[in-house]
């Protein structure tokens, strides 16, 4: 359904809204104070089993119940209105609409049940049908009451909080903050308005080129003057890609210093972040001395800072003690995550038992030999509501005028039907099954079940993380990863045992959650159970409501370990004039706007990540992610909008500023192991979310930040603002894979989940000379990562790249090298590590028709010109240069080999001179 723009707002004055919210809380309390000579709920639920005549006082109680129903209905309506006033996206508007429809159903069904009871009191002969009708209406009333009350309470709570927190003074402070933004272009009809665009052509391509600060006219002018807008991109691939990039940029240093942009993805970001932090003039080292910030010599061969990285190449855990600490961090995150996720099962179960004790829609039985049979009234209500909803849905398929009036009611009625089925059939069945299991398993299920679940989840999480780390599998298992004798070994995406373990663990987690919920419901509101539930709720609120759920994941650990290896300065000590590498202090906050600022004679560093969007058809099937880049100037992407990085840092709380840093950007752009992975989605992602063994972070949504600022400028106090921390709801979004594009926060992960080369970002910036260092570990045949990037660029930007001759870069092209057969190198050598091509931009890029570009891709592959020692290493290590990204424990041999390989392919790329291009008078077509 369409929803109004968030900045427009629809809430009344603050005093009116606060009064309505307080009235919603007060009216049910006042209504419950009316006298009740009989219990109309129990009489109504009894159905035809209720003796006639009805108990004395039933008629009087029914009339008083109508008064209470009126108070309850008014309160529910005010609660639904509060939810609507707080809504800012389609899901929240739909929830508010569901609450309103549920309120109408609650009041209507309650009134019908009461009138049928009054009918029986006046004419007892009608009891045969009236009592069953009253039972069905009562069941329907309470089934609709559950969603109406839940949404209403949430709306009232949010509204009262915003009445206090979004005071006029707070709004004035927000509007006083400078916030420079660039809005995303609309994709669907109900997207917020954007600047007018009357230009012809492919609007999607033109919108995708939206990058603040990039001037196509200036790029065209430079090209005509013989000056390229150049860029270097470093692919993902963990420490493998970082090592190759370090070597390649040593050989390509002159080209790097002349470049305008340095785009990094994942492991390439380790190197880009290291260069940036070594060259920045922000901050100062703790050691007395003078920092040396020479772009031409930083991280070159033999430098102190390169030696520091070499000594820390096994950055995650280079000692047994640190390995145990890492495993302990995983275990701690697992326990905290399970507490946050399974605690609500206990609380909801106890509250459900209390509800059924007061309103037995289906009589819960704690006898494992007696199945809970639904009441006749429950079945009647379920059948009538299901049939009515089905007929209404058929009716709405008719004329358009009927659809507009009644179609909006179908979805809420379906939701109420599902709630009714759950309350009358599913929950009683779960409670009966839990009681049966507890009666047969006893203490074994009560103690061993949760303990076994924790251990199984821990083992499955470790299996998902370390399965592809061959050092843990042993030499005998390496043969399972090879394609054949002499071929390039490739790590399997997951073994059968691993897949089975993860599937079983995920199923066990779901079953245990349901049984924990059902077992707690068997208490039926016992006083001790209520106190226990209160204690569990307090723990969950502290962990999920106060602590940042990102701190429950591996992201902080990953960020710290990367910084310990790659965040260094080169300092000449005052004491003796010696040059040493000085690591950054852990407490030094490397804010992206200051520490990421472009150094003199060095390109702008852009960290390419991915923003995950699911469930709303905002991305093509299978992609599930859009571009999200972080730099000193701007943060965001064309699909989510842009916000000035310095302004964003000022607008968020300190908890978010931890990741709006150079070190945070390196970790986020390298979050390959996440609960949402864009085009790299995997079947075990739910387990990663539950176990806490996940990377990535929830970052501010530039689109939302812009709309919230506009709402504050217009005085819309009811519009939400950025949260102060990433709390429990965001962990639940990860578990269920819900990533709406209008949310205040976006789940940002590895840039490889969108484009693992960073090539698309350089095309987006209209570069006319691109050097791409590709260490993405493609399994032959063909350079699959490059092919996917070119395909994505074609569809997203209209860029067409004519490759010169890519086939010499394929393994198996060289067989005549002396000693190749004996060294097991046959079939692994390529004729050249380079793939080159010509870039053609469409008119939608804003460039002149004659502007073309040159692409040079340097792949981390074996070729005959490599030195003997490197080919010897490859002969003794068949997995080289395709070590799994899961292997982040590089020893000196691996680091040296990949760094040397990077130097050699960088030198080859340098020699790939740009051929002369005669300006063409004919424009390049936008489509082939």
């Amino acid at each position: 359904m369409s929803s109004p723009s968030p900045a427009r707002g629809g809430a009344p004055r603050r005093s009116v809204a606060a009064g309505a919210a307080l009235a919603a809380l007060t009216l049910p309390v006042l209504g419950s104070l009316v006298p009740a000579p009989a219990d109309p709920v129990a009489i109504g639920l009894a159905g035809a089993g209720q003796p006639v005549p009805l108990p004395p006082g039933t008629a009087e109680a029914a009339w008083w119940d109508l008064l209470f129903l009126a108070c309850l209905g008014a309160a529910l309506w005010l609660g639904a209105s509060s939810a609507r006033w707080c809504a800012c996206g389609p899901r929240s508007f739909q929830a508010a609409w569901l609450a309103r429809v549920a309120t109408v159903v609650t009041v209507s069904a309650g009134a019908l049940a009461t009138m049928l009871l009054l009918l029986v009191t006046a004419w007892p002969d009608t009891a045969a049908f009236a009592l069953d009708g009253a039972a069905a209406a009562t069941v329907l009333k309470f089934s609709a009451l559950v969603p109406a009350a839940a949404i209403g309470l949430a709306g009232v709570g949010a509204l009262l909080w915003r009445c206090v927190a979004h005071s006029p003074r707070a709004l004035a402070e927000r509007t006083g903050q400078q916030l420079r933004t660039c809005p995303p272009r609309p994709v669907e009809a109900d997207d917020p308005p954007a600047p007018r665009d009357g230009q012809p052509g492919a609007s999607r391509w033109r919108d995708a080129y939206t990058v603040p600060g990039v001037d196509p006219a200036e790029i065209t002018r430079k090209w005509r003057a013989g000056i390229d807008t150049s860029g270097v991109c470093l692919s993902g691939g963990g420490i493998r890609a970082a090592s190759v990039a370090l070597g390649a940029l040593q050989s390509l240093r002159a080209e790097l210093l002349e470049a305008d942009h340095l785009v990094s993805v994942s492991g390439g970001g380790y190197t880009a972040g290291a260069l940036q932090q070594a060259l920045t003039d922000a901050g100062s080292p703790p050691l007395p001395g003078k920092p040396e910030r020479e772009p031409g010599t930083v991280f070159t061969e033999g430098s102190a800072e390169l030696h520091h990285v070499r000594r820390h190449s096994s950055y995650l855990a280079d000692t047994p003690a640190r390995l145990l600490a890492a495993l302990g961090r995983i275990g701690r995150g697992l326990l905290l995550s399970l507490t946050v996720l399974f605690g609500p099962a206990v609380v909801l179960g106890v509250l459900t038992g209390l509800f059924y004790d007061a309103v037995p829609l289906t009589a819960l039985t704690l006898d494992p030999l007696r199945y809970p049979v639904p009441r006749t009234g429950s079945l009647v209500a379920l059948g009538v509501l299901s049939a009515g909803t089905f007929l209404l849905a058929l009716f709405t398929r008719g004329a358009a005028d009927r659809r507009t009036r009644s179609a909006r009611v179908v979805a809420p009625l379906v939701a109420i039907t599902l709630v009714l089925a759950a309350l009358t059939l599913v929950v009683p069945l779960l409670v009966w099954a839990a009681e049966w299991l507890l009666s047969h398993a006893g203490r074994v299920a009560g103690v061993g079940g949760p303990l076994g679940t924790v251990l199984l989840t821990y083992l499955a999480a470790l299996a998902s993380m370390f399965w592809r780390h061959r050092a843990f599998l042993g030499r005998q298992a390496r043969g399972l990863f090879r394609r054949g004798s002499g071929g390039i070994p490739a790590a399997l995406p997951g073994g059968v045992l691993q897949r089975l373990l993860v599937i079983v663990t995920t199923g066990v987690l779901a079953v245990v959650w349901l049984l924990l919920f059902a077992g707690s419901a068997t208490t039926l509101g016992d006083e001790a159970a209520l106190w226990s539930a209160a204690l569990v709720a307090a723990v969950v609120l502290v962990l999920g409501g106060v602590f940042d759920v990102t701190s429950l994941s591996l992201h902080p650990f990953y960020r710290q370990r990367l910084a310990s290896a790659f965040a260094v300065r080169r300092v000449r000590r005052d004491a003796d004039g010696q040059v040493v590498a000085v690591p950054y202090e852990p407490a030094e906050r490397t804010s992206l706007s200051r520490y990421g600022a472009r150094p003199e004679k060095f390109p702008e560093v852009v960290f390419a990540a991915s923003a995950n969007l699911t469930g709303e058809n905002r991305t093509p099937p299978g992609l599930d992610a859009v571009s999200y880049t972080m730099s000193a100037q701007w943060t965001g992407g064309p699909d989510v909008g842009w916000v000035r990085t310095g302004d964003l840092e000022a607008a968020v709380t300190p908890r978010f500023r931890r990741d709006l840093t150079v070190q945070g950007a390196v970790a986020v752009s390298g979050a390959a192991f996440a609960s949402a992975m864009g085009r790299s989605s995997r079947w075990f992602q739910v387990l990663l979310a539950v176990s806490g063994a996940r990377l990535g972070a929830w970052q501010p949504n530039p689109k939302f930040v812009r709309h919230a600022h506009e709402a504050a400028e217009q005085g819309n106090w009811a519009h939400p603002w950025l949260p102060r921390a990433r709390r429990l709801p965001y962990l639940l979004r990860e578990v269920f894979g819900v990533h709406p594009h209008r949310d205040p926060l976006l789940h940002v992960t590895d840039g490889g989940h969108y484009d693992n080369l960073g090539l698309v970002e350089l095309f987006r910036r209209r570069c006319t000379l691109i050097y791409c260092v590709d260490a993405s570990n493609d399994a032959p045949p063909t350079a699959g990562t490059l092919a996917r990037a070119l395909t994505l660029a074609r569809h997203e930007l209209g860029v067409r790249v004519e490759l010169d001759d890519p086939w010499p870069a394929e393994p198996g092209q060289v067989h005549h090298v002396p000693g190749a057969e004996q060294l097991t190198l046959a079939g692994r050598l390529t004729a050249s590590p380079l793939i080159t091509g010509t870039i053609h931009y469409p008119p939608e890029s804003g460039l002149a028709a004659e502007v073309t570009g040159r692409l040079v891709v340097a792949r981390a592959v074996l070729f005959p010109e490599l030195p003997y020692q490197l080919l010897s290493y490859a002969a003794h290590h068949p997995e080289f240069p395709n070590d799994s990204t899961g292997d982040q424990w590089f020893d000196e041999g691996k680091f040296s080999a990949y760094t040397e390989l990077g130097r050699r392919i960088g030198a080859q790329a340098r020699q790939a001179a740009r051929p002369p291009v005669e300006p063409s008078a004919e424009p390049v077509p936008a489509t082939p």
Side-chain angles (χ1 to χ4, degrees), residues 384-399 402-414 417:
V384 171
L385 184 60
S386 300
T389 304
F390 177 73
L391 292 175
L392 183 61
L394 291 180
F395 176 76
T396 60
R397 294 172 63 88
R402 293 203 301 251
R403 288 199 299 269
T404 56
R405 289 194 299 266
S406 57
R408 294 178 59 199
V409 183
V410 173
L413 289 181
V414 170
T417 303

Side-chain angles (χ1 to χ4, degrees), residues 616-656:
E616 297 177 321
N617 297 320
R618 305 289 295 193
T619 61
L623 185 56
D624 293 337
V626 296
S627 170
Y628 190 99
T629 60
M630 294 167 284
S631 69
Q633 294 296 318
W634 295 91
T635 295
D639 291 285
V640 297
W642 303 83
V643 59
R644 195 80 171 186
T645 302
D647 299 345
L648 184 61
E649 292 171 352
V652 300
T653 61
R655 294 187 179 184
F656 288 98

Side-chain angles (χ1 to χ4, degrees), residues 315-384:
Y315 67 93
L316 285 181
D318 52 3
T319 64
R322 286 178 177 167
L323 178 59
L324 289 176
L327 295 176
R329 189 70 176 256
I330 297 173
R332 188 195 71 174
L334 169 65
L335 291 175
L336 293 177
S337 295
L338 290 181
T339 300
V340 170
L341 292 172
F342 281 73
V346 176
V347 177
L348 291 175
V350 172
L351 293 178
T352 300
L354 181 65
F355 174 80
Y356 276 90
D357 185 56
V359 186
L361 300 181
T362 296
L364 297 183
T365 174
L366 302 184
D367 183 357
L369 300 179
R370 239 183 72 203
Y371 182 81
V373 179
R375 301 176 185 273
T376 303
S378 300
L379 299 177
V380 170
L382 182 60
V384 171

Side-chain angles (χ1 to χ4, degrees), residues 240 470 477-492 777-780 811 824-828 862 874-885 898:
R240 181 193 67 245
R470 295 180 197 70
R478 289 186 179 182
L480 298 175
F481 294 88
R482 300 178 185 173
R483 287 181 174 268
S485 177
I488 291 183
L492 297 177
N777 190 21
D778 284 323
T824 69
L825 295 177
R828 297 170 59 190
L862 301 178
H876 289 281
H877 298 81
E879 67 277 3
F880 178 81
N882 294 88
D883 282 272
S884 167
T885 306
Y898 278 101

Side-chain angles (χ1 to χ4, degrees), residues 8 16 70 143 232 273 341 397 416 439 495 529 608 854 912:
R8 197 162 61 228
V16 174
S143 298
V232 178
L341 292 172
R397 294 172 63 88
I416 296 172
S439 65
R854 186 68 177 164

Side-chain angles (χ1 to χ4, degrees), residues 64-84:
W64 281 115
D65 190 56
L66 283 177
L67 177 60
F68 171 75
L69 188 63
C71 294
L72 178 64
L76 293 176
W77 188 264
L78 291 174
S81 299
S82 299
R84 179 170 178 79

